[in-house]
Each structure stands twice: as C-alpha cells, then as structure tokens.
Amino acid sequence: MSSVHLSDIRRTTSFRLAVLFLAVFGAAGAMLIGYLYWQTAGYLSSRVDAALAEQTARWSLFDAEKLLRELNGHTARDPASREPYGLFSATGRSVAGAIDNVRLVREFDRPFDFSLNGPDGKPQPLRGMAHVLDDGRVLLLTRDVSSVREFDELMVRAIASGAALILVMGLLGAVALGFGAKRRIDAITRSIERIVDGHLSERLPLGGSNDDVDHLAVLVNRMLGEIERLMGEVKGVCDDVAHDLRTPLTRLLAGLERAERGGLGVQEYSELIRNASEEARALLRTFRALLRVSEIENGARRAGFTTVDLSRVAADVVEFYEPVAEERQVTLSITAPAGPVWLQGDGQLLFEAVSNLVDNALKFTPTGGRVAVQASRSEDEVSLVVRDNGSGIPLDEREAVFRRFYRSEKSRHAPGNGLGLSLVAAVAKLHKLTVELHDAEPGCEVVMRGEA
Amino acid sequence: MSRVLIVEDDAVTSAEISAALREHGFAVEHVCDGRQGLLRAAAEEFEAIVLDRLLPGGLDGLGVLTAMRAAGVETPVLILSALSGVDERVRGLRAGGDDYLSKPFEAIELTARLDALLRRRARATTGSGQETRLRIGDLEMDLLKHSVTRGARSVDLLPREYALLEHLMQHAGEVVTRTMLFEAVWNYRYDERTNVIDVHISRLRRKVDAPGEAPLLHTVRGAGYVLRAPE
C-alpha cells in the first residue's frame, strides 16, 4: 500500500468537510459560551453593585456619631482588611476606616474597581462606591470581589482549554476521516486502473457501510458487470462468426480453386460458378441476419414502436406458414382471445420473432404432429405461446439455444443459420418480454411474456 | 433506353451496380457525392436515381433527397443503405424516396425494384391501372367480383392466393422478387425466409397452371417470379 501524505489527506473531501464543520461548530460554541459567560459574570457583579448601593444609601442616613461607630466596628471586625472602608473629611483627610487614601476614590455614587495591597502583599481586587455625605465628608464602602474575579478567570481558562481540546480532537478527527477517505479512494483508483488495463472482471471495493460511496460503487459495479457481459458476448459472437463462416468459405474457396486448375467443360464451370454464388449468397444472408440481431439488440429501434395487436401478428404468421405446415402434414393452429392483444412494439420484428418460433417448431415436429400458437392477455400480462409435440429441447441446451449460431446435434443438418432464436431473444428483450422454454412432454413450448 | 443516375461513394459498389444495370439495359451515369448528385438530378432528365444513404461530405443521401424534392424533381429514387432498420426505411420513404434496399443486396433485387419503379411511374402518367379486369393469356381476374378464370375453368383461390395473383398480374411480365411479394401481399418486410413464399407460390401455381395448360407463372432462378403470357 502506498504511503499517505498529509498533504494528500488535506485535499480529501472528507477532511475539508470535517474542518468546515469544526469551524462552524467552533464558532457556534464560542458564541454560546461567550453569551453564558457574559450573563453569569454580569449577574455576579450586579449583585455586588446592588449590595454596595444599598449599604451606601443606608449608611448615609446615619448621623455622624453612629456612622463613626459603625465604621470602627466594621474595621475591628475585619482586622485583615478584606473589605476596607474609608471616611474622609471634606478636605480629603482620613477620619476613620482602614483606607486612608482619598485618591482611591475615582467617582461618586457609582461602583468602580480598584485594588489594594492586602496584608499578604498581594493586590486585592475590590469594588467600591463613594458618596459625599450631607456634611461634606466622603464615605467609601467596598466589597471584596476576589472570588468573582477568580470565577471569571476559572471560566475563561475552562473555555480556552475546552476550545483547544475541541480544536485538537476535531483536527484529529478530520485527519482520520481524510485518511479513511483517501485510503478508500486509493483502493477504488487502483481497481479502476486495473480495469483500464483490461481486467474487466475487477470490481470496485465496497466499504461495507452502505454509504453514498458504496452506493456509487455498487452502481459502477453493476455497470461493469453489464459491460463485461457485453464484451463476453461480443467475443463469443466473434468466435462463433469466425467458426461458422469458415465452413462455407472453405467450400467456396475449394470450388474456386477447382475452377482455377482448369481443364473443365463449360457445363462444369457454370455449375461451379452457380455453387460459388450460392455459397456467397448464403454467407451474405448470414451476415445480414447477424447484423439484424445486433441492430435489434442495441435497442435503438424502440423509437419506432407503435401499438401492435400481438394476436393479429400471430394470426398473420400462422396464415403465412399454413401451406408449409400442410406440406409437412403438421397441424398448425392458433387460439387467440376475442379482442386484440395490445402491445407497444414493432409489428415487423414481432412477426419475425414469431415466424422464427413457428418455423423452428415446424422443423422439429414429425409428420402428423401439431404446432399450436396461442396469444393471450390477462389484466396485466400479455403472452404468446408456441407449442409443438416434436422432439423438444434437452434441459441442458435450453440456455444455449439462444446463443448465436448455436445448433443442437439434432438440428445440425436441418436448414438454418443458427440465428433464429438469437433474434427471438433480441426482439423479446427489446419489447421487455421474457422468453422461457418449457418441456411440453413431449415437445417444446416457448413462452414469450410481458407486461400489458 | 432508360437513364439511371447512381449516387454512390464506394467505387467498387458503384462499379458493380453500374455493370448490373447496364446488363439489364439501363444507361448509367455515376457521381460520387451528394452535391454533384443533386446538381445532375436537377439539371438532367433521369428515369430513376439510385441513391446511397450514407455519402461523404456535408450532404448525405437524405439531404440530397429532401433538397431534390424541394426543388420539384420528381424522379423516382431508390435508396440504398447499409442501415437496415425499419426506422431508417421509414425515414427514407418519408423524405421522398420511392423504395429502399438495404446492403448487402443482390443485383437482381435492385433491377427488379428499379423496373417496378419505372413501370409504376409509367402507369401513373398514362393513367392506367384503373382496370376492373386483368388478363394474361387466358387467365382473367375480375377485380370487382373477386373471381378468377382460366379459359372456361373457374379458379378457386383463398384470399391470400388471390392477393398474390393480383399483385403478379398487376406486374405481369416483370420479375417480382420474393421480398417484393412479401412486402406487397403480406405487408411485412423482411429479407429472409424466402422458401415460405415459394410454398405459397407453388400452391398458387397448382391452381393457376393446371396440368396440360401452358404455364403462366414462371420461376426466375435466384430472383423471384414472373407471370407471363405464353409466347
């Protein structure tokens, strides 16, 4: 197996799709988490702000003495100055509380952030609110917001590491998908290359997951099957043609060579020429029949389809062959329903096909036998049956008789070119009819059947 | 002598056709492509044109035919084609062709069909063919009564035998090939299975030519049949 380069993976559709999904999913996730973060953090700080505002409003109503008492009480209860307060004179001098620097006050009646160095020397985040009292003094109240800040940081860290994890996992997934896709495409490419090299029996590999690529592969495999079948048929036909035309050509050549050697009388020459042209004519007829079979098989003739009465065609055939049957002393009969048996088709070709069947049946039915043609129709089906009580077709030859030039041992000496049933099969296929051979015990029964 | 124009690009085929037609008594002119064929057909007087369906260059057989008919040239045209489909034939006839013969064909089939075309034209121009009685020697057919007599003897025919005899009598003296008969009498067309027609003919012959009577229905070896009055 060839090694897979990362750059190859990067070009696969699966990888690109995975990355695209990663980007879309990442953006949506970022938006969701951002919104959650904004809402949560905002809620926490608004709680702090509300508490500050409430306390400021309450304390500014205290008289000077009570305020001082409360302040000192608070300072005493908070020796570590986690939430230091401050009271300043109108000139900015510290009056009470743990905060003695009035410059920390940035604005009045609105919460603001600042920090003080705590007892352990670390900066301590605080949120404060300052208010100018009635007597001109300035009151500064604070809240310890280190836990809010910590929560913020925790959340940001969690989001960042989560995002990093998703990114890594997503990319890994994309690479894995790309790798898998690349491997499948490579396998398919190798199969196709082998097919192009002429190994028509090769098929595209299936992933087994029944996904869209599998569906496509199954379809292509079906197409390959049909192509292989056709190629096989063409090859078979070529072989058959080569084989079957050799005999008459050899005979033709032998006659011509005899004429070439000379020394014959006029009578003999004209006999030779007549024989030669008879052979050539027979060859031409065979070729023409062969051409017709392939022409019909390629299906282009469906364009000329009209509504045809199958029972009318069958009656025409029977009428056409009636004298032949009489000459052979075979009873040729037809049964058909009262009305027409409509079929979309080519009357010409149907006539030819039914003729071939009747012709065959007459050929293989002994004197005193009978051949029955039956056209019938049911609600959703039309059928045509040609039945004889002749020698029948052995089971193992029933497939083969439809092959071009196939001639059973029995029929080898009967006139014909071995193309009759090939033509029947071709015409039937063109009309979407099935052809079955049955044993009529004794004799043979051919059934053509199709949708009405 | 009837002049026939052959429009055929294949040198060997055209030489064969020319030879066969000359032997049959036609004066033959030959061109190799559609353009020339169209020009000559329009400029000169021909009794019939043998036109190949597939021609090199921009103008193929059907094109020539369509252009010719559009230009008002009514010369009978027999189309030759390697394409044998029924659709092909219908298309050729629809474009204004008078008959259609698929390759490969036998020379006798071509000459017989050309003869038939020329006679049909002759009949059409003289306005004959409206008779109610056909007569060859002492064989007589009454088209109105659907009855046939030979001398004093009445000949009983089945409907198909009657149709067969009528066609032969309409074309008395002409060679009628098996495929032509099959086409005219059975209204189907195909090129094989000639022996079945032979059986029909021999049945007809038994009824028409009774023992002791001068034969009227003759077999033309390798070609077909002709109904001819005794010399």
Side-chain angles (χ1 to χ4, degrees), chain A residues 237-264:
Chain A
V237 169
C238 288
D239 294 350
D240 291 343
V241 169
H243 181 265
D244 254 72
L245 296 188
R246 206 163 44 203
T247 314
L249 278 174
T250 312
R251 279 207 302 261
L252 179 63
L253 194 63
L256 290 175
E257 277 168 351
R258 220 171 82 217
E260 213 175 18
R261 279 198 296 275
L264 300 172

Side-chain angles (χ1 to χ4, degrees), chain A residues 343-415:
Chain A
L343 177 72
Q344 281 302 309
D346 184 324
Q348 200 72 41
L349 291 178
L350 287 169
F351 183 92
E352 234 169 301
V354 180
S355 290
N356 275 311
L357 293 178
V358 171
D359 194 66
N360 267 340
L362 288 175
K363 228 181 265 172
F364 297 114
T365 305
T367 302
R370 67 198 142 65
V371 173
V373 180
Q374 184 186 352
S376 55
R377 137 204 89 197
S378 66
E379 232 159 67
D380 50 357
E381 195 184 74
V382 296
S383 69
L384 185 120
V385 181
V386 177
R387 190 183 303 115
D388 65 58
N389 62 352
S391 45
I393 298 176
L395 197 62
D396 54 340
E397 287 186 37
R398 283 186 195 159
E399 276 285 316
V401 291
F402 289 106
R403 271 197 359 235
R404 288 175 179 81
F405 293 118
Y406 181 83
R407 313 203 56 184
S408 67
E409 276 314 310
K410 282 180 305 200
S411 70
R412 200 148 282 279
H413 303 292

Side-chain angles (χ1 to χ4, degrees), chain A residues 305 343-346 349-350 426-433:
Chain A
F305 271 22
L343 177 72
Q344 281 302 309
D346 184 324
L349 291 178
L350 287 169
V427 170
K429 194 176 169 210
L430 185 75
H431 287 81
K432 298 199 167 95
L433 301 172

Side-chain angles (χ1 to χ4, degrees), chain A residues 153-270:
Chain A
E153 269 166 36
L154 201 70
M155 203 143 163
V156 168
R157 258 206 315 276
I159 289 169
S161 52
L165 199 67
I166 286 173
L167 199 69
V168 169
M169 289 300 287
L171 274 174
L172 280 178
V175 168
L177 277 177
F179 185 75
K182 173 87 178 109
R183 237 181 27 188
R184 262 182 92 184
I185 298 286
D186 278 351
I188 289 174
T189 308
R190 272 194 306 281
S191 295
I192 290 174
E193 272 164 0
R194 279 180 57 76
I195 292 162
V196 170
D197 284 344
H199 301 275
L200 268 179
S201 54
E202 180 85 20
R203 292 291 176 271
L204 301 190
L206 298 183
S209 53
N210 208 16
D211 60 2
D212 46 356
V213 179
D214 270 7
H215 276 295
L216 206 62
V218 165
L219 211 64
V220 171
N221 283 346
R222 238 169 55 206
M223 185 176 79
L224 285 170
E226 181 69 1
I227 290 174
E228 193 188 9
R229 192 184 63 75
L230 287 174
M231 293 285 283
E233 229 168 61
V234 167
K235 190 183 168 301
V237 169
C238 288
D239 294 350
D240 291 343
V241 169
H243 181 265
D244 254 72
L245 296 188
R246 206 163 44 203
T247 314
L249 278 174
T250 312
R251 279 207 302 261
L252 179 63
L253 194 63
L256 290 175
E257 277 168 351
R258 220 171 82 217
E260 213 175 18
R261 279 198 296 275
L264 300 172
V266 176
Q267 193 70 40
E268 285 162 298
Y269 273 124
S270 61

Side-chain angles (χ1 to χ4, degrees), chain A residues 292-294 296-297 421-431:
Chain A
R292 285 184 54 69
V293 170
S294 55
I296 295 161
E297 274 189 344
L421 280 176
S422 306
L423 186 123
V424 172
V427 170
K429 194 176 169 210
L430 185 75
H431 287 81

